[in-house]
């Protein structure tokens, strides 16, 4: 794929400061090699997508960056310091929602702040803002089992946003929503990228979504998991999702990525 690199690179120099570095990280689960000597950098204030087939270690990598899982070897550096465990500078939106089933939406969204000892009135005011921002205003008192999958994902997103971490780890945050809601979420996400100067590490299965929302795309290949390619697409954000579908440059990039992943999709 390297010979066609020009087709999907705007040759923009990587001049951003690095917020998160993954350095030679390996992780095995028993005999399963989930990550092998992975090295990857995430520029500050940008959105990097991790794109790769199921089982290639994306969730494992996010958990290691979050400090929820220890690598067998290698290290993660966040803002110049090695990760030794979870910390307030990173928050995680889990693939499987990970909401507290006994707590309502308000408490779930405020939970990260509660853990940090933020006073109830302050954390509820903050939580209320993000509940509205993700489109769940009016559902503050609902419990997770009363929500659809997409709504639960939004609760997870609001919770991650409420703690105001500098690094957001998003594990397929839009996978449970319909296409229309997904587009709305993509626009919301891009507004956050533009306005919040946070570093976003975003797992998605959708090549189209990755090309649309990302500053940088890391293509991961499985068995053992490795970074096959880093792509920095021309920004399609300003064109809007409706307009890029027929954009030849956009279609070229999507095709090229699809070609490199095709043989690994089971
Ligand atoms: N707790 C675990 N115990 C044993 N094996 C695991 C565990 N978690 C993940 N694995 C294995 O490690 C590999 C990577 O899994 P991981 O969940 O990181 O993949 P993924 O890229 O997030 O996949 P998906 O796109 O399906 O979410 C897989 O082969 C998986 O079976
Ligand atoms: Mg996963």
């Amino acid at each position: 794929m390297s010979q066609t690199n020009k087709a999907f690179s705007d040759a923009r120099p990587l001049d951003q400061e690095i917020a998160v570095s993954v350095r030679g990280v390996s992780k095995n689960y028993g005999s399963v090699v989930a990550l092998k000597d992975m090295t990857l950098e995430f520029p500050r204030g940008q959105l990097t997508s991790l794109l790769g087939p199921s089982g290639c270690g994306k969730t494992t990598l996010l958990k290691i960056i979050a400090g929820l899982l220890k690598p067998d070897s290698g290290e993660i550096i966040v803002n110049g310091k090695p990760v030794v465990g979870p910390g307030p500078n990173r928050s995680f939106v889990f693939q499987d929602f990970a909401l507290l089933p006994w707590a309502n939406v308000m408490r779930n969204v405020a939970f990260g702040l509660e853990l940090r000892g933020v006073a109830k009135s302050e954390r509820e005011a903050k939580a209320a803002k993000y509940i509205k921002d993700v489109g769940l205003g009016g559902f503050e008192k609902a419990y997770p089992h009363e929500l659809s999958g997409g709504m639960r994902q939004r609760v997870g997103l609001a919770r991650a946003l409420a703690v105001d971490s500098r690094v957001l780890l998003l594990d397929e945050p839009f996978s449970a929503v319909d296409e229309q809601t997904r587009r709305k979420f993509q626009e919301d996400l891009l507004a956050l990228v533009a306005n919040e100067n946070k570093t976003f590490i975003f797992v998605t299965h959708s090549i189209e979504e990755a090309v649309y929302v990302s500053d940088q795309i890391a293509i991961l290949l499985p068995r053992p998991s490795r970074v096959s390619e880093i792509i920095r697409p021309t920004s399609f954000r300003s064109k809007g999702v409706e307009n890029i579908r027929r954009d030849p440059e956009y279609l070229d990039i999507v095709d090229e990525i699809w070609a490199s992943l095709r043989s690994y999709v089971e």
Side-chain angles (χ1 to χ4, degrees):
M1 194 159 147
S2 53
Q3 74 278 11
T4 52
N5 247 344
K6 271 205 178 68
F8 49 75
S9 170
D10 65 354
R12 200 157 15 121
L14 185 65
D15 53 4
Q16 254 77 17
E17 236 183 293
I18 298 304
V20 178
S21 283
V22 173
R23 298 189 180 160
V25 164
S26 297
K27 176 74 189 173
N28 299 344
Y29 296 102
S31 60
V32 174
V33 182
L35 298 175
K36 190 168 162 64
D37 196 23
M38 185 168 287
T39 292
L40 195 52
E41 291 187 324
F42 299 91
R44 189 182 313 287
Q46 296 202 351
L47 186 149
T48 299
S49 289
L50 303 178
L51 195 60
S54 186
C56 76
K58 303 176 296 292
T59 297
T60 300
L61 180 61
L62 286 198
K63 285 184 178 165
I64 291 173
I65 296 171
L68 299 170
L69 202 60
K70 287 215 180 326
D72 297 333
S73 57
E75 63 178 355
I76 307 289
I77 308 290
V78 175
N79 297 328
K81 297 202 184 89
V83 165
V84 292
N89 58 359
R90 287 148 290 148
S91 55
F92 201 142
V93 178
F94 293 90
Q95 190 170 12
D96 52 7
F97 318 136
L99 302 181
L100 307 172
W102 63 86
N104 66 21
V105 167
M106 173 60 81
R107 179 133 190 242
N108 264 291
V109 173
F111 187 63
L113 300 169
E114 186 178 338
L115 288 180
R116 284 202 224 162
V118 175
K120 191 166 183 210
S121 58
E122 188 185 333
R123 66 180 191 246
E124 293 201 339
K126 245 191 182 157
K129 172 189 179 319
Y130 286 105
I131 290 169
K132 283 212 179 67
D133 282 2
V134 301
L136 285 178
F139 288 92
E140 289 80 358
K141 294 203 164 73
Y143 285 82
H145 72 270
E146 299 172 306
L147 304 174
S148 71
M151 292 164 89
R152 288 202 282 269
Q153 281 190 320
R154 287 188 247 174
V155 176
L157 190 58
R159 178 169 62 190
L161 291 169
V163 295
D164 203 23
S165 302
R166 304 312 304 156
V167 177
L168 280 164
L169 305 165
L170 309 175
D171 198 357
E172 300 191 46
F174 308 153
S175 60
V177 300
D178 57 79
E179 192 56 33
Q180 228 158 324
T181 310
R182 193 177 184 117
R183 287 195 197 171
K184 159 91 174 63
F185 274 25
Q186 288 168 351
E187 298 309 320
D188 293 347
L189 175 68
L190 289 177
L192 290 169
V193 175
N195 300 328
E196 303 253 342
N197 196 32
K198 294 180 191 295
T199 303
F200 294 81
I201 304 181
F202 179 78
V203 173
T204 175
H205 271 123
S206 163
I207 296 172
E208 286 84 359
E209 178 168 86
V211 173
Y212 179 49
V213 302
S214 308
D215 295 291
Q216 169 174 284
I217 302 172
I219 298 188
L220 307 185
L221 297 182
R223 290 182 293 275
S225 184
R226 59 203 188 276
V227 179
S228 115
E229 191 146 9
I230 302 285
I231 296 170
R232 297 181 62 77
T234 305
S235 181
F236 294 101
R237 294 170 184 167
S238 53
K239 297 184 180 173
V241 74
E242 300 299 341
N243 300 322
I244 57 173
R245 293 174 172 252
R246 269 169 259 106
D247 185 308
E249 199 180 359
Y250 169 80
L251 295 173
D252 274 355
I253 298 179
V254 169
D255 277 356
E256 293 293 345
I257 297 175
W258 180 235
S260 75
L261 286 173
R262 193 190 311 265
S263 57
Y264 293 92
V265 177
E266 290 155 333

